[in-house]
């Protein structure tokens, strides 16, 4: 059994880790921390856990965490970079779900997140935890920077096209939408139900923190010679709880053929347990991946013109956060990659 | 491995059985029938099953069904009573999720369902599949009549009080509300989203088919001498997908004490894996049981007056239908009762 | 034109007053106050008002308010009782949407609201603004205490029965449910969409602040000799924005006849412009009153037993708050009672 | 008073016309037709109309319709082209909300709608009822083809840019999303709430019937010399009832300046009562236009790169259908353009 701790367990990625770890056959959760709720049973905060977890939140203690095989950070940005260095020094493996170690360019990180980065050497060390791209490095990584939710859906949608160099990397357009759980479990007026149900809107259209992460990831897989990937990224807020859907537009470099496009995707992902290329003509639905680690993708060529359309759907809290974190853990510890991640979406 | 078939797999109880059986370690689904979709892969109708099920819908063939250890009927009322007799004759065990065998009083059945009953002898034979009341008979039953969704939530809420005779059985009031999946997967104008989102209403308040089933179940557990249970039952339609919540009012027979009430419930359900008596003062939420076989219950005595209030929450498709059906299967085949039913609610 | 001011305009009852007053042909809004947003255009906080209101929030100034014909208070409880006395002294008429002056029994108010009442003499003076019961006193009232949302729906449902003495007043049961806008525009974790969508739950079942108001209102219309109305009141939170639905159970005193019941209601409300008694057998839906001042009511006698069932639906922010406040204003100033309140529900 | 009839009143655009006409001071609704519901009171089908309409549905009679000043068609495509010619012949003015007369290219219409067009000469005669572009022709038009919902939101978003020739017309990308009322009031499994709540998906991404209408409208306003507008249009289905949001991407022809862009929009729409250009940096929300004829638009230049982003929000049943139809009527009959259309959005 792998000994596991969670730092910062009161948010939605925390409770999703709890849900998934509770039925994981090879992981044993030993501690979950929260300074503000120290001593409170987790099942009191999340009644869905009643009968399934006897744990109480505890104050983070470095010795307790250091005794684990792996520590998940489900904290706001800025927290992991303060606490992770000591754990790394002690040889503990860390899977960080926050944004702290996602960007290799520290000045870019500092600009987008508005604060100084206190552990730039770990950002260097960290492996970006997108298994479909970086599986080999994940095996031996000591520190995983889990991808953001939008970046997961968007990169998985474009990677096959960019690797092959069949679309213009400098003219990429991503219109994406997220369920409101992506905004976290915070008491803000903007997030209350009366403000969001029966409503739809874009937000941060002038610039969202996931943009540099998306561009960094895409540039990693591009052929060297091509111009660097540049994305116009517009996120939207959906009147629902879970799910991200990305609608991705790219301009073809040469002559296109819808059948070839379909093959490019099917070939690229044929061995991936968590990417499902839909049959030609189908549209992925977020509900079919709800609560699962699956990403469903469709590729189309509307009107046989020269725009390649990719549709990509994930659960923002699962493949977009906590389930992907466990997929990383499985890879790091040599387990079957799908272990504990094989349940089906709740439908309807 | 228990060989399983599902008759009528295109509705919501059918797809929920598919979801739950797909991760059940001791059950093997061998056939799922649908006359109208014969030959269609189940994963085409329900894309959430892509990669998890290779089955296609098939026409019901008696020999194929008779080769199974157990057959689930997830059909509209009237279907099971036509097909089950032959299976029973051949020694197959049957778990019927429809209303066909729930009522012992055939004339009552015929009145509420508006048609003749063609297998009254099986209604006699059938065991009512509420494990918390009838566990022993379920072990050896050949035919299980799974309780309806409202009756499950309501009986579990009142059984402890009626067994003890501490409330007036003839003055029971149940105000209950169901998510819209309870109305099934049917293309009716009344069920479309534009008619139901941001709306709430009672329906069938003058008389709902679950009423005689509720009264029959309650009368079974009452002390003999008391007047027979009589319920005013008002169902409501909630603008959400899953969940039933029952708000139950009963008048105390003698002096009440909130602490005693709490103890009556805790004692009654202390060994029940799927009934969770909430701590005093808590209110159950439907989302904490979403996708699970759990029933969460609270009992209160508002204003210390003589009304006993019970709140009961289940998932209408899970404990209210398909998961409870699998709980029955586990009991019938001597398996651990919780097998395949231990996942947590998806929250948020 | 009636000169109007609103004190406390940043909540949902405030913006609903703004919406309704913007098309009221005889009212002119001259000021809307908010200490925290002093100077901010109302259309910046509520973009739905862009192009319809040039007003900015201002700090409440007694002289400015005193220059109005009527001042609406859309403030949290405790605020009006501090500011209203001076306005009353100066002869301004006040319509208070908060709970400050609803209860005649000051000690009850202080117990339920957990603070001392600083203007008990005004609670005495105030007229309870339920026009269907108190229309005559409203005409000449200087201070109106607008009813709460639940109390409006519940009293309108039971008044015809209690006035006639045909149900037991001491055994009343109200199971009611409200859209989440009833909880106000506050940044609380409990109110965010990810916690409330696809969820249903009771709350404050052990005792809700609207209970004493409901009982006070019912006792006012009862025949003297009968035992005082006593209500078990369980509120629930609906996963939708607007609407209150009350499901009301009462025990008949004598022999019942469904047709007579229907006549009692039709007769009682035949001249009421904002109470619609539905035809026998219909169920009111909250969406049919969305955004309107209408209350739709049905009465039934399920199974011809001795329980009288009443279903009552209103919009919690309209008839349950701001539209009823304007109905009161119309009555106070001798206008047609329906002025500015004749728009239809947005459906779907 | 203008005498008005509605042909096909049982759908959502029909009931929205009823709602808006019921408070229109210069219109008198004299007939509303439905073959299937002949004789049924409209208030029985739509209880929101109880007390506001005494009309019953009637079978369409040419003489009755011909006695009106204007007839609205709120019918499925194919119906108006059969019935309108006789009305036109008799001198009645017609406002068609269906797609029958929107496309000038009859072969394109026949290809997209899969049937022969039986009144091509009326398609020629019809004025496309987008007042912000065609106001002058609308004044004297005998037949109005009301724009589709997506085309309204999208054209209003792009018209200022295309008129000025400051974006590449051949590389336009529209990612748009609609509330489910856009799919109409039909009993289809695909539309039921259990299939659509908490879900998001694209549909008809390979080609949607509104595409040729959008391109036709944009080409009309382009400078002659430029290459014809070509759009990649991907519609999505939102888990909510009302609202369309379009996210529009265009590539700048020359150097861009965000301030100039803002001015282009403010200048273009400064006299339009129903187009609201939001302040720089704001994002329009669908709920702020719910139930109104308003279109709210924002323009941005993300990352100061060369993509011009326009966000456009309308109510699909109002500005996207019935309210715009009434705006056309007001223009045709010389009334104040905003008459009967000045109510505010219901918020929250």
């Amino acid at each position: 059994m792998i000994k596991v701790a969670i730092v910062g367990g009161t948010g939605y990625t925390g409770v999703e880790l709890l849900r998934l770890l509770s039925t994981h056959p090879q992981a044993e959760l030993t501690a979950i921390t929260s300074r503000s709720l120290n001593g409170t049973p987790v099942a009191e905060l999340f009644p869905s856990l009643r009968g399934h977890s006897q744990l109480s939140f505890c104050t983070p203690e470095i010795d307790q965490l250091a005794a684990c095989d792996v520590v998940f950070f489900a904290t706001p940005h800025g927290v992991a970079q303060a606490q992770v260095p000591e754990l790394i020094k002690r040889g503990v493996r860390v899977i960080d779900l926050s944004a702290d170690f996602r960007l290799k360019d520290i000045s870019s990180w500092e600009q987008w997140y508005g604060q100084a980065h206190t552990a730039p050497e770990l950002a260097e060390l960290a492996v970006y935890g997108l298994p479909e791209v970086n599986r080999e490095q994940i095996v031996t990584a000591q520190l995983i920077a889990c991808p953001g939710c939008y970046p997961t859906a968007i990169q998985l949608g474009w990677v096959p096209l960019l690797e092959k160099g069949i679309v213009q990397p400098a003219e990429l357009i991503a219109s994406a939408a997220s369920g409101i759980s992506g905004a976290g479990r915070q008491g803000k007026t903007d997030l209350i139900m009366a403000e969001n149900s029966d409503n739809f809107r874009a937000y941060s259209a002038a610039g969202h923190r996931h943009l540099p992460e998306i561009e960094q990831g895409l540039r990693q897989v591009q052929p060297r010679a091509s111009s660097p990937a540049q994305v116009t990224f517009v996120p939207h807020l959906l009147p629902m709880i879970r799910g991200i859907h990305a609608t991705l537009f790219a301009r073809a470099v040469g002559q296109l053929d819808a059948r070839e496009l379909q093959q490019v995707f099917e070939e690229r992902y044929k061995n991936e347990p968590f990417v499902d290329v839909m049959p030609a003509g189908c549209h992925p639905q977020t509900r079919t991946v709800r609560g699962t680690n699956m990403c469903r993708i469709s590729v189309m060529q509307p009107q046989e013109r020269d725009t390649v359309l990719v549709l990509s759907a994930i659960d923002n809290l699962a493949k977009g956060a906590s389930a992907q974190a466990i997929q990383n853990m499985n890879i790091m510890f040599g387990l079957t990659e799908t272990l504990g991640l094989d349940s089906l979406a709740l439908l309807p």
Side-chain angles (χ1 to χ4, degrees), chain A:
Chain A
M1 296 295 278
I2 301 165
K3 286 186 68 178
V4 174
I6 299 173
V7 177
T10 62
Y12 289 142
T13 53
V15 68
E16 183 73 348
L17 281 172
L18 279 166
R19 180 180 74 90
L20 293 165
L21 289 171
S22 80
T23 53
H24 193 289
Q26 295 286 325
E28 184 198 356
L29 183 62
T30 62
I32 178 160
T33 80
S34 163
R35 285 182 202 279
S36 57
L37 293 182
N38 184 29
T40 303
V42 293
E44 193 177 311
L45 187 66
F46 300 117
S48 56
L49 300 170
R50 284 176 56 83
H52 289 266
S53 174
Q54 305 309 319
L55 281 177
S56 291
F57 291 108
C58 61
T59 305
E61 299 276 359
I62 185 72
D63 288 340
Q64 187 182 22
L65 299 178
C68 291
D69 296 305
V70 61
V71 177
F72 291 91
F73 277 76
T75 46
H77 63 84
V79 175
Q81 60 186 260
Q83 299 182 15
V84 167
E86 178 65 19
L87 290 172
I88 294 294
K89 207 178 295 167
R90 298 217 198 171
V92 181
R93 300 177 92 173
V94 171
I95 299 174
D96 179 26
L97 284 79
S98 86
D100 275 14
F101 305 113
R102 289 181 193 158
L103 298 188
K104 296 300 178 190
D105 180 341
I106 294 299
S107 66
S108 171
W109 193 93
E110 294 182 332
Q111 174 199 328
W112 282 95
Y113 289 88
Q115 61 186 79
H117 199 295
T118 61
E121 71 290 354
L122 289 190
E124 180 83 8
L125 176 78
V127 171
Y128 187 69
L130 191 66
E132 291 77 7
V133 172
N134 296 326
R135 187 171 281 108
E136 281 181 35
Q137 296 102 294
I138 293 168
V139 173
T140 56
Q142 203 191 345
L143 172 58
I144 295 290
C146 276
C149 48
Y150 286 119
T152 296
I154 291 171
Q155 288 175 75
L156 291 178
W158 269 332
V159 155
L161 298 174
L162 285 173
E163 283 177 347
K164 294 269 184 190
I166 53 182
V167 295
Q168 298 283 5
E171 305 181 19
L172 300 169
I173 287 173
S175 181
S178 174
I180 201 164
S181 62
R185 193 174 154 276
Q186 307 174 75
K188 294 183 179 169
T189 307
D190 274 4
L191 301 183
I192 68 175
M193 182 152 170
E195 298 283 309
N196 289 287
S197 182
D198 217 66
N199 190 31
F200 186 64
R201 59 178 163 104
Y203 65 98
S204 300
H208 184 283
R209 285 167 173 174
H210 284 173
L211 177 59
E213 180 186 342
I214 294 165
E215 292 186 341
Q216 170 185 283
L218 296 176
R219 287 170 190 176
Q220 185 194 333
V221 304
Q222 287 185 254
R224 292 283 160 85
S226 57
S227 61
Q230 219 174 46
V231 181
T232 302
F233 166 48
V234 181
H236 302 74
L237 189 56
L238 285 165
M240 62 186 219
I241 297 181
R242 282 179 180 238
I244 278 190
H245 184 284
T247 305
L248 306 172
F249 305 87
R251 184 166 294 276
V253 168
Q255 277 300 98
L256 268 184
D257 177 315
R259 244 188 27 204
E260 279 174 302
L261 281 172
Q262 181 75 18
Q263 282 169 353
V264 165
F265 276 78
E266 289 182 359
E267 183 64 25
R268 177 60 177 82
Y269 291 129
K270 71 181 172 203
N271 295 320
E272 289 298 339
F274 294 117
V275 182
D276 175 26
V277 179
M278 305 279 289
C282 291
H283 303 78
Q285 305 190 24
T286 58
R287 66 180 183 138
T288 72
V289 298
R290 187 162 40 200
T292 78
N293 198 44
M294 194 65 65
C295 175
R296 291 202 206 283
I297 293 181
S298 294
V299 59
M300 299 186 187
Q301 183 195 2
Q303 307 301 302
E304 299 176 13
R305 293 173 180 173
D306 63 352
T307 296
V308 184
L309 171 68
V310 181
L311 308 172
S312 167
I314 63 169
D315 181 322
N316 56 304
L317 295 179
K319 181 64 175 170
S322 303
Q324 183 154 264
I326 287 170
Q327 183 184 3
N328 274 283
M329 180 189 80
N330 287 344
I331 296 171
M332 291 165 84
F333 289 88
L335 306 176
T336 303
E337 195 166 327
T338 56
L339 208 65
L341 298 172
D342 56 356
S343 70
L344 273 85
L346 200 65
L347 182 147

